[in-house]
Amino acid sequence: MDAREIIKVGMRAERTLTVTPERTVRHVIPTMPAVFGTPMMIMEMEMASAAAVSGHLQPGWVTVGTEVDIRHLRASAVGAVIRTTAKVIAVERRVIRYEVEAFDGARRIGEGRHARGLVNLESFNRRLGES
């Protein structure tokens, strides 16, 4: 499958979540502040990116994260409502590139770029020795 045939620049998606104690740095490292963790923000950005194109993929194909270049700009407390966005900015044969952002209300708390590789799940799992 060639992503250039099905994925278009400008495709987008967004996700919304409420920060819970499990999504804070303190949940992983008890001595750290109870704020929305950078890895959790990146995961939400990746999930929004995947969602932007998943409905256009042929059955058996998925995208997997391959690159992240993210800045976490501001802290968000438990209870904050976070919105992450992803927009396709470039499409190569097997790589899709995104601009991603995260917001706490109107405040931008994260921004950057992300890339996802287009893979056939069956072939991918076979290479890993899974069925």
Side-chain angles (χ1 to χ4, degrees):
M1 175 190 296
D2 186 330
R4 297 171 294 190
E5 296 173 2
I6 55 171
I7 306 302
K8 304 299 177 206
V9 169
M11 288 180 169
R12 61 181 65 230
E14 69 177 53
R15 292 176 52 88
T16 303
L17 69 96
T18 300
V19 177
T20 62
E22 296 78 23
R23 293 180 185 263
T24 66
V25 180
R26 181 176 289 164
H27 181 72
V28 180
I29 306 169
T31 58
M32 294 297 287
V35 294
F36 189 44
T38 303
M40 290 75 165
M41 181 183 73
I42 292 170
M43 181 179 71
E44 288 297 317
M45 290 171 160
E46 287 204 42
M47 292 173 73
S49 297
V53 301
S54 64
H56 301 277
L57 303 179
Q58 295 174 4
W61 288 82
V62 297
T63 59
V64 296
T66 59
E67 297 175 32
V68 291
D69 181 10
I70 305 297
R71 293 182 342 139
H72 196 161
L73 305 170
R74 291 180 174 77
S76 297
V78 171
V81 176
I82 306 298
R83 181 174 56 92
T84 54
T85 64
K87 179 175 79 171
V88 175
I89 59 170
V91 183
E92 301 163 22
R93 190 174 84 75
R94 282 290 183 78
V95 177
I96 304 159
R97 299 188 184 280
Y98 303 83
E99 179 179 81
V100 292
E101 295 179 295
F103 299 88
D104 177 346
R107 293 182 328 136
R108 184 173 8 177
I109 63 164
E111 64 186 13
R113 306 260 190 224
H114 175 47
R116 299 187 68 75
L118 182 62
V119 300
N120 177 280
L121 197 53
E122 184 179 329
S123 299
F124 186 83
N125 287 337
R126 192 172 34 250
R127 280 195 311 272
L128 294 176
E130 299 177 11
S131 53

